Amino acid sequence: MEQVKVQDKKVYRVQGFTCASCAAKFEGNVKKLPGVRDAQVNFGAAKITVYGEPSIKDLEKAGAFESLKIYPENQDVRMEREPFWKRNEAIQVGVSLALLMIGWLMGKFYGEDSLLSVAFYFLSMLIGGYALFRKGLLNLTRLRFDMYTLMTIAVLGAAFIGEWGEGATVVILFAISEALETYSMNQARQSIRELMDVAPKQALVRREGKEFLIPVDEVQIGDIMIVKPGQKLAMDGVVVKGSSSINQAPITGESIPVTKNVGDQVYAGTINEEGLLEVKVTKRVEDTTIAKIIHLVEEAQAEKAPSQTFVDRFAKIYTPAILMAGFLVAVIPPLLFQADWNDWIYRGLALLVVGCPCALVISTPVSIVTAIGNAARNGVLIKGGIHLEEAGALSVVAFDKTGTLTRGVPVVTDFIPLISDKEKEFLSIAATIEKHSQHPLASAILRKAEEEAVPIREVEDFFSLTGKGVRAKINGIYYYMGSPGLFEELLPAGIPDQTKKRMLDLQQQGKTVMALGTESEMLALIAAADDVRENSKEVIRRLHELGIKKTVMLTGDNRATAEAIGKQLGIGEVQAERLPQDKFEFIKQLRSDGSKVAMVGDGVNDAPALAASTVGIAMGGAGTDSALETADIVLMADDLGKLPFTMQLSRKALQIIKQNITFSLAIKTVALLLIGPGWLTLWMAVFADMGATLIVTLNGLRLLKVKD
């Protein structure tokens, strides 16, 4: 059954959503279509996932109440972005406003209750509120209570008690409020649209010696793609010919171009800045890194954050409660206390208008969609509103050492000749020996020799001394290279005290020390260490500035090395010689007191600890599919510097969500208090609701301005 369900799953893009409640209504309509078993609308990404076989015509019929347009997900359709003033709704509002003004003038000349004045007010209400009445009256017949129902009752009630001018004003202000909500969500979705436009729709491909410009969905794995200077790459692949600098900012957020040579991986949507490249395609268009990012960002925007879930649950109870409260306000004082019917019906209608949950409903989704889109544009993939909120509440950040705080590649930090003026000669001998060695630090010594441009010599005899080092004959002399313990055994008098002191100093700095020498003397000391990333110290400092209370380094490395690096970086606590299971248990222990804990690792070796943390953050997701799939947040570039930006954005998002919810409820409370003494007019009520909607949406859009 599940297999069938997956096979007939189809995803469509939706054009025309104006509000979250409309999206929910559309979802309900689609679920009722024949042959549809289930449907889920993603309002943030303007998509619907359907399990079944409905036609596009059927789907558009289900969305006819909103004039929705439906397109297959992969169809290259330019969504209309015409200015608001050109749309039918805007024209209707304009005509309605003109008729309202004429009605007001007629009222001034002939009296508010004159037939001419009422006629113009009626036409203003009819034209400006046509869409509102259509939705609201339909909801009333189905006993569905939402903001359209509340507004429809309020406007018709105003007309019933003779407040035609106020009824028409409510219609116009509500229409403007709807337009603002639509605009704000379109602005929030802009980040996704920019991502979707990153990769070209065509690729220049060589087949059988001929070059063809073909659509990307026709490019096959194994095709050779030709990328000229200044062009964007259309597909993921591996460079097979040429060398160039690639601007990877659209994928990873890196500001500095990266040099790519033969054998290096490149990504769709990145920009070839210099040389001509030939790239062997390794993924189909739907599997490229940028396609996965877009898909994951859209899915993330569909996931409801805890605050949004609270708002949705609250609104379901709140709206019918407001309707009931409005009814009681309208009828109880006249029935029990012989109050004026018109006055209290008016107050009841004002309660319905001010109780409309527009601002509350839009307050959270606009913030989450904006923040996740902004993060993606800066090379950070946040995989859901829940992770965004939790990242904003973190108090502890734990780091893996190797490959996270450090580069994961050892480098020679010190080469100390024990005989003066012999550095180049001894480095040449060391590199010659290590060229034949399998020792993990051999590559570091060879890189050092290459940097210093020293020659590699001929080896006459090479022998491995298991667990201690190696011996090699060069120019007729036997040289030894290995641990300090090897030379304690070799040298007749052991290692001199002064040399021992120098070695101990290096080891206390967290470095691995090796020695080069002969059977009779030591010639040089070589210290190597895993190179700390340039920005690691700055990242730790900025995290503490942002309010992170505790930073921890978890590593399997020895304690001396770990503590030296921890001290160098300013990390609060160092946990050394920890196996993956130990890291997992330690993260659980950190969380046991209710602390929100992030684990930052490479997404593979640290999988248990990432899973145990409140928020798992993986590095370098652009090259690792597993990181994209497993972590809650992915730093697409192999750049720890994106972490403070992520924390800053998350904290700002959490702050804005709380501000929006608090403000929405506060403005309602104040307006409700004004109903008692009769100070709240209908147009003031809708203006308060519209003002609140405008303020929370603009407040949410401030997240677009958070920069890396």
Side-chain angles (χ1 to χ4, degrees):
M1 180 67 182
E2 186 62 33
Q3 184 63 29
V4 175
K5 188 173 181 179
V6 170
Q7 283 177 349
D8 64 4
K9 169 185 169 182
K10 289 187 173 63
V11 183
Y12 301 91
R13 297 200 175 275
V14 184
Q15 184 180 344
F17 278 148
T18 57
C19 63
S21 62
C22 307
K25 183 178 177 182
F26 175 56
E27 181 182 293
N29 290 351
V30 172
K31 284 179 179 178
K32 293 173 187 172
L33 290 174
V36 173
R37 288 193 314 283
D38 196 12
Q40 285 119 31
V41 163
N42 179 339
F43 177 58
K47 289 165 65 173
I48 183 167
T49 302
V50 182
Y51 296 94
E53 298 290 341
S55 66
I56 287 180
K57 190 176 179 182
D58 289 337
L59 293 173
E60 289 188 341
K61 197 172 180 181
F65 70 95
E66 187 85 332
S67 303
L68 301 178
K69 296 291 181 188
I70 313 297
Y71 305 98
E73 183 184 27
N74 296 324
Q75 185 175 324
D76 184 22
V77 176
R78 287 282 163 191
M79 294 292 185
E80 294 170 20
R81 298 186 199 173
E82 62 180 347
F84 170 69
W85 56 271
K86 282 188 177 180
R87 297 177 187 171
N88 287 337
E89 311 95 89
I91 295 167
Q92 287 173 349
V93 170
V95 172
S96 179
L97 183 59
L99 291 168
L100 174 67
M101 295 305 295
I102 295 169
W104 179 77
L105 287 171
M106 292 296 124
K108 287 290 180 187
F109 286 112
Y110 302 106
E112 280 294 326
D113 297 325
S114 68
L115 189 60
L116 267 175
S117 178
V118 169
F120 278 108
Y121 283 144
F122 173 76
L123 286 172
S124 174
M125 287 170 59
L126 190 64
I127 292 170
Y130 173 73
L132 166 65
F133 298 145
R134 191 179 61 178
K135 294 174 188 175
L137 292 171
L138 187 63
N139 286 347
L140 269 175
T141 60
R142 296 175 178 175
L143 297 178
R144 181 186 290 150
F145 303 111
D146 60 13
M147 57 188 175
Y148 295 104
T149 317
L150 296 181
M151 285 293 179
T152 299
I153 294 171
V155 172
L156 295 180
F160 176 74
I161 62 173
E163 296 289 345
W164 291 93
E166 293 221 22
T169 305
V170 166
V171 164
I172 290 168
L173 289 176
F174 182 71
I176 294 170
S177 175
E178 285 261 271
L180 288 171
E181 188 175 334
T182 305
Y183 170 78
S184 67
M185 284 308 296
N186 284 340
Q187 286 296 105
R189 293 182 186 122
Q190 184 64 28
S191 296
I192 299 182
R193 282 203 291 265
E194 287 174 5
L195 281 176
M196 292 171 71
D197 291 339
V198 158
K201 306 301 179 198
Q202 292 181 309
L204 183 62
V205 170
R206 183 188 297 132
R207 290 177 181 167
E208 298 176 358
K210 294 181 180 178
E211 294 181 4
F212 304 91
L213 189 65
I214 60 175
V216 287
D217 53 4
E218 293 179 17
V219 178
Q220 301 296 318
I221 292 173
D223 277 343
I224 301 298
M225 181 172 64
I226 314 296
V227 189
K228 297 174 182 176
Q231 289 186 337
K232 284 185 178 180
L233 280 78
M235 307 289 285
D236 283 13
V238 173
V239 177
V240 292
K241 187 177 180 182
S243 176
S244 183
S245 291
I246 300 288
N247 181 349
Q248 298 193 145
I251 303 291
T252 65
E254 295 167 283
S255 55
I256 300 171
V258 180
T259 301
K260 298 287 184 177
N261 298 304
V262 173
D264 288 338
Q265 194 170 10
V266 289
Y267 309 107
T270 57
I271 304 159
N272 179 21
E273 296 205 332
E274 294 171 355
L276 181 71
L277 290 179
E278 293 190 13
V279 176
K280 185 178 182 180
V281 176
T282 55
K283 293 179 181 175
R284 288 188 55 79
V285 65
E286 62 269 20
D287 299 322
T288 60
T289 302
I290 188 66
K292 283 185 179 176
I293 293 170
I294 292 166
H295 174 72
L296 289 168
V297 168
E298 291 184 330
E299 292 300 306
Q301 292 178 330
E303 276 191 30
K304 291 185 178 178
S307 56
Q308 190 175 347
T309 307
F310 157 74
V311 166
D312 289 348
R313 282 203 310 267
F314 180 78
K316 279 184 181 176
I317 303 164
Y318 169 84
T319 309
I322 284 289
L323 191 63
M324 180 57 68
F327 174 75
L328 294 175
V329 165
V331 301
I332 287 178
L335 284 177
L336 299 184
F337 307 107
Q338 287 76 50
D340 181 62
W341 275 99
N342 272 15
D343 180 30
W344 284 94
I345 288 175
Y346 184 88
R347 295 188 195 196
L349 296 175
L351 175 60
L352 293 188
V353 173
V354 81
C356 183
C358 301
L360 189 63
V361 170
I362 197 69
S363 61
T364 304
V366 72
S367 304
I368 287 172
V369 170
T370 304
I372 289 174
N374 185 15
R377 218 171 53 206
N378 283 281
V380 178
L381 185 58
I382 302 174
K383 293 171 64 178
I386 185 170
H387 308 307
L388 177 73
E389 285 198 11
E390 285 180 336
L394 290 171
S395 58
V396 182
V397 180
F399 297 89
D400 173 46
K401 178 182 79 72
T402 307
T404 302
L405 293 169
T406 66
R407 294 187 179 281
V409 179
V411 294
V412 172
T413 56
D414 304 86
F415 191 91
I416 305 169
L418 300 176
I419 301 172
S420 59
D421 301 326
K422 292 280 189 177
E423 182 177 350
K424 295 268 184 179
E425 182 184 339
F426 292 160
L427 180 56
S428 174
I429 292 168
T432 301
I433 295 171
E434 290 300 327
K435 188 178 180 184
H436 298 81
S437 170
Q438 299 299 314
H439 194 276
L441 298 179
S443 59
I445 294 169
L446 288 168
R447 280 195 302 275
K448 174 75 172 174
E450 188 178 340
E451 287 169 14
E452 299 290 335
V454 300
I456 304 294
R457 310 180 184 199
E458 291 292 325
V459 172
E460 298 166 29
D461 183 22
F462 184 88
F463 184 76
S464 177
L465 306 167
T466 307
K468 297 177 183 178
V470 293
R471 182 187 70 190
K473 190 176 185 182
I474 302 171
N475 295 335
I477 301 172
Y478 277 107
Y479 292 95
Y480 292 81
M481 190 156 176
S483 66
L486 171 63
F487 287 91
E488 282 285 6
E489 294 177 11
L490 272 177
L491 301 178
I495 300 172
D497 289 342
Q498 188 178 358
T499 306
K500 276 184 183 176
K501 185 177 182 305
R502 293 177 87 170
M503 291 165 66
L504 185 61
D505 288 344
L506 292 167
Q507 286 170 335
Q508 285 175 343
Q509 293 171 33
K511 298 171 182 176
T512 301
V513 179
M514 297 184 293
L516 171 69
T518 64
E519 291 179 353
S520 58
E521 64 178 336
M522 292 179 71
L523 303 175
L525 299 179
I526 303 161
D530 187 359
D531 195 19
V532 173
R533 293 178 187 269
E534 299 92 340
N535 61 353
S536 291
K537 186 174 182 178
E538 175 66 11
V539 166
I540 302 299
R541 186 189 66 77
R542 285 178 63 194
L543 289 180
H544 286 300
E545 274 184 2
L546 286 168
I548 295 298
K549 294 175 184 173
K550 184 177 183 181
T551 50
V552 183
M553 182 169 74
L554 297 176
T555 178
D557 211 340
N558 69 76
R559 184 162 300 281
T561 301
E563 287 183 349
I565 290 174
K567 187 177 179 182
Q568 179 186 345
L569 298 180
I571 287 177
E573 182 178 342
V574 173
Q575 293 289 325
E577 298 168 9
R578 294 269 181 170
L579 298 172
Q581 181 61 28
D582 299 327
K583 293 181 183 181
F584 172 79
E585 294 296 338
F586 186 76
I587 293 290
K588 283 175 65 178
Q589 182 186 325
L590 284 173
R591 292 189 65 187
S592 61
D593 64 355
S595 296
K596 300 279 188 182
V597 182
M599 174 68 193
V600 187
D602 61 12
V604 182
N605 300 332
D606 301 302
L610 286 168
S613 61
T614 313
V615 181
I617 303 173
M619 300 264 296
T624 322
D625 285 349
S626 59
L628 285 174
E629 300 300 330
T630 58
D632 303 318
I633 296 177
V634 184
L635 310 181
M636 297 302 292
D638 195 24
D639 178 13
L640 199 62
K642 296 287 179 185
L643 188 58
F645 162 73
T646 307
M647 298 293 178
Q648 184 186 354
L649 180 67
S650 301
R651 290 188 173 219
K652 191 74 174 174
L654 194 59
Q655 181 187 3
I656 283 177
I657 287 167
K658 286 177 180 175
Q659 286 173 357
N660 282 353
I661 292 173
T662 304
F663 177 76
S664 301
L665 293 174
I667 201 91
K668 301 289 181 198
T669 305
V670 170
L672 289 171
L673 291 173
L674 295 178
I675 290 173
W679 296 343
L680 188 73
T681 63
L682 271 178
W683 70 267
M684 282 171 61
V686 76
F687 198 76
D689 182 65
M690 184 184 82
T693 302
L694 176 60
I695 288 168
V696 299
T697 52
L698 291 177
N699 199 30
L701 290 174
R702 284 199 300 136
L703 290 165
L704 286 172
K705 296 185 181 297
V706 179
K707 301 295 180 188
D708 181 10

